[in-house]
Amino acid sequence: MTTDSGADQGEGLLDRVRQLCGQAADRLPAGPAALVRQAAGSLGEPLRLAFVGRVSSGKSTLVNGYLGRLLAPTDEGECTKVVTSFRFGPADRAQACLHDGSVLPVPLDPGGTLPSKLDVEVDEIRSIEVELSLEVLRDTTIIDTPGLNSVHDENSSRTHDELGISARGNDARGNDARGIDPESRSAAATADAVLFVLNATAHDDERMVLREFRGVSLGLHAAPSNAVGLLTKADEVTMDDDPWAAAVGLAARQSRQLGRDVATVLPVIGLLAETAEARFTESDAAAIRGLAALGQQDREVMLLSAQYFTGFDSAVDPASRERLYTMLRPHGLRRLLAAADEGASGPAMVEALRQCSGMAAVRAEIDRRFRARAVALKAAKALAAMAAAVSSAEVDHSTRAWATGAIDDLGLDPVMHGLEELRALSLVSSGAALLPRAQLDEAARVLAETRTDRRLGLPGAGRDALLAAAHQGVQRWTAIANTAISPRARDVARVITRSLDLECDRLGGEQP
Ligand SMILES: Nc1nc2c(ncn2[C@@H]2O[C@H](COP(=O)(O)OP(=O)(O)O)[C@@H](O)[C@H]2O)c(=O)[nH]1
Ligand SMILES: [Mg+2]
């Protein structure tokens, strides 16, 4: 039994949303109609996933680590200052889309990296679009954004105005939100889902962008099911021997603090993911082995700073050491020196880096939360755009009432329940829903898994057994929904009851 819950019905929902957009566009005045048509147009495209955060927070490094290639420049080059999308295409190529509507080809460096210098002024560019024949991009478009200090920061709020977002908004405390530029914020607002890249300190401006994203994209679902925080540079959270443990604790705290804006915060070391996937070579492994020949005390001293590391007396040449330091920093170096002590091969070192980067958990979260629920996220995005369009003063009362009713109806579609499940999952994994351990485990399983047999804890079981388990589950969780003391636990139980009810429907209704 390998039914993918909901996925098979996804296309039907998208068709219905498309149809509704078409009907609405026919009835609405020109301005709102154009917004609705635009929203309908993006329904057939891959999921748009944006990496957003301050400049130098580590976004491009994460994009490279995620895509497994050195595509997004992480230096000071001009391309770091422009919103860049990476989408699937048969050949590797890039183009710059200018504000005046024209398009210029951008030559890629060998390996597909964007050049550090462009033939056109950066502030004339609206976005760079890169097409790559990477499998992971088939169903997901990745958007890298610049952040603070981009050239657009001071002079361009065009895109933002189009979206009706104030480019110079104030947060709740009246602070001017200058941390993240309008172009990046607008890229976040038009994305279906956002990876919010954070470092050890979360700033007010970052929270504001998150809130904006929530407001623009998911008016229907006031839950942050479509935004996940990534606490990157986890290796630099503390100078202690075990920065990862500290980062896990910090990410959990940020997750609680930002709970209204992101579903969860995961620690990650983007740099080590990028190095593992796209930089580390056999000669780097040989250099690590050369350094591992030094005594323990010498090693600790050389790891104290970049200068010590490259200036140290060693058979490994300084240029190789500088490269290693840039790619690994002290935490990665320590990890690989330890691996070398155990006789690790080059590929084993890459595997060690991969493991300590935390990227596997990020991938799993992206798969489970975003790629598996892409249809619901895209439908929610389009419906939210339609809701915003019909709220315009130009729209007459009866059209607005008709559209709002139709949007609500589609919001009740079983596929859309996937977003409720993600919201409930956040309540479970953050510990906000007070339930006994066994119920929490079951809740996490039902909410996180997408295959019917796994959700029901009966991998490989036949239809009758699954249906019986789903029926029992409905009864049990209905009781919990009525009796649990914590309101959030009751909320979670209600969501699970509907999930299991929908499983009964999918399995064929009546109990055998
Ligand atoms: N120590 C450490 N440095 C990182 C990490 N990720 C990125 N960096 C460094 O931070 C700087 C900015 O990274 P970049 O990805 O260009 O940031 P962006 O402006 O957000 O795209 C670069 O020098 C990266 O090497 C990380 O996980 N750990
Ligand atoms: Mg960047």
Side-chain angles (χ1 to χ4, degrees):
M1 191 83 210
T2 56
T3 323
D4 236 349
S5 295
D8 37 358
Q9 298 149 357
E11 276 310 312
L13 172 65
L14 287 185
D15 283 344
R16 288 167 66 205
V17 174
R18 226 175 259 128
Q19 216 170 20
L20 177 62
C21 286
Q23 290 165 351
D26 289 344
R27 290 177 67 159
L28 290 169
L35 288 176
V36 169
R37 280 203 193 89
Q38 196 183 353
S42 64
L43 281 170
E45 288 175 16
L47 187 80
R48 291 167 61 84
L49 188 57
F51 285 71
V52 184
R54 294 191 147 209
V55 76
S56 282
S57 53
K59 301 176 293 292
S60 303
T61 307
L62 281 165
V63 167
N64 290 337
Y66 181 68
L67 293 177
R69 298 251 300 262
L70 288 182
L71 300 165
T74 54
D75 54 15
E76 292 291 298
E78 291 177 339
C79 287
T80 61
K81 296 174 178 147
V82 185
V83 172
T84 306
S85 66
F86 300 93
R87 63 181 70 222
F88 185 81
D92 294 2
R93 61 175 181 191
Q95 60 183 25
C97 304
L98 309 191
H99 284 298
D100 69 9
S102 56
V103 171
L104 292 177
V106 174
L108 294 175
D109 292 345
T113 314
L114 285 161
S116 53
K117 189 99 189 73
L118 295 165
D119 292 339
V120 55
E121 289 299 318
V122 170
D123 59 2
E124 288 179 29
I125 303 177
R126 184 164 48 82
S127 64
I128 292 181
E129 292 181 0
V130 186
E131 275 184 21
L132 299 159
S133 53
L134 285 178
E135 234 7 76
V136 56
L137 294 175
R138 266 192 198 275
D139 62 1
T140 314
T141 293
I142 300 292
I143 300 157
D144 186 18
T145 64
L148 176 69
N149 296 341
S150 87
V151 290
H152 299 303
D153 193 33
E154 290 305 319
N155 59 18
S156 169
S157 56
R158 270 170 288 202
T159 331
H160 239 68
D161 290 346
E162 279 162 28
L163 285 159
I165 302 167
S166 91
R168 284 281 175 267
N170 290 331
D171 68 7
R173 287 189 225 158
N175 295 328
D176 192 8
R178 285 171 177 267
I180 295 172
D181 70 307
E183 250 75 9
S184 301
R185 289 159 66 188
S186 127
T190 55
D192 298 306
V194 157
L195 290 164
F196 213 78
V197 180
L198 301 158
N199 299 141
T201 338
H203 302 273
D204 278 350
D205 55 357
E206 297 174 322
R207 302 200 61 156
M208 208 190 99
V209 173
L210 277 172
R211 223 160 282 150
E212 258 178 19
F213 174 66
R214 194 149 59 97
V216 175
S217 66
L218 286 187
L220 285 173
H221 295 264
S225 47
N226 57 348
V228 164
L230 299 180
L231 166 61
T232 193
K233 307 197 185 184
D235 56 322
E236 293 191 335
V237 161
T238 117
M239 286 309 185
D240 296 351
D241 276 355
D242 196 357
W244 186 258
V248 168
L250 182 58
R253 202 168 79 209
Q254 287 183 338
S255 194
R256 283 193 297 276
Q257 284 170 348
L258 302 174
R260 283 171 51 78
D261 303 313
V262 293
T264 183
V265 177
L266 299 177
V268 63
I269 307 175
L271 184 70
L272 298 188
E274 183 192 66
T275 299
E277 302 302 340
R279 285 191 197 268
F280 199 76
T281 62
E282 272 303 331
S283 47
D284 294 321
I288 290 285
R289 275 182 221 111
L291 292 171
L294 293 165
Q296 198 60 37
Q297 213 174 3
D298 286 345
R299 283 199 208 173
E300 279 310 313
V301 174
M302 82 184 173
L303 287 174
L304 285 176
S305 78
Q307 259 171 340
Y308 276 124
F309 191 76
T310 44
F312 208 80
D313 194 17
S314 152
V316 180
D317 70 283
S320 308
R321 276 184 274 160
E322 194 179 330
R323 178 179 152 82
L324 286 179
Y325 196 89
T326 312
M327 293 192 306
L328 298 163
R329 308 286 165 96
H331 183 61
L333 286 165
R334 245 182 224 118
R335 184 70 197 79
L336 287 197
L337 288 168
D341 290 341
E342 288 162 15
S345 63
M349 288 188 198
V350 168
E351 194 46 42
L353 287 179
R354 225 174 245 146
Q355 275 181 20
C356 73
S357 74
M359 195 55 152
V362 173
R363 272 182 216 288
E365 190 71 22
I366 291 175
D367 286 351
R368 174 177 86 185
R369 185 172 290 279
F370 299 143
R371 295 175 75 191
R373 326 255 173 172
V375 167
L377 287 168
K378 293 204 77 76
K381 183 89 198 174
L383 292 177
M386 184 178 331
V390 299
S391 72
S392 150
E394 295 172 71
V395 179
D396 66 79
H397 179 72
S398 76
T399 306
R400 186 178 304 145
W402 161 78
T404 311
I407 291 169
D408 285 349
D409 279 352
L410 284 179
L412 292 174
D413 188 282
V415 177
M416 298 299 275
H417 183 64
L419 299 184
E420 279 293 289
E421 291 174 344
L422 291 181
R423 185 181 63 78
L425 181 60
S426 302
L427 293 176
V428 169
S429 38
S430 69
L434 300 175
L435 287 166
R437 183 78 254 164
Q439 287 175 7
L440 279 179
D441 290 345
E442 187 187 349
R445 197 181 64 218
V446 173
L447 297 170
E449 293 287 351
T450 49
R451 265 177 48 172
T452 301
D453 56 346
R454 295 222 185 114
R455 307 184 86 180
L456 295 168
L458 298 170
R463 174 189 167 272
D464 290 353
L466 293 175
L467 190 52
H471 273 292
Q472 280 164 15
V474 170
Q475 282 164 11
R476 236 174 330 108
W477 284 97
T478 306
I480 298 169
N482 291 329
T483 54
I485 293 168
S486 123
R488 287 186 177 135
R490 291 200 295 274
D491 183 8
V492 166
R494 272 192 293 271
V495 173
I496 294 179
T497 305
R498 173 135 200 255
S499 301
L500 295 173
D501 230 356
L502 290 170
E503 289 299 349
C504 291
D505 289 348
R506 285 184 194 117
L507 287 162
E510 293 309 305
Q511 191 163 9

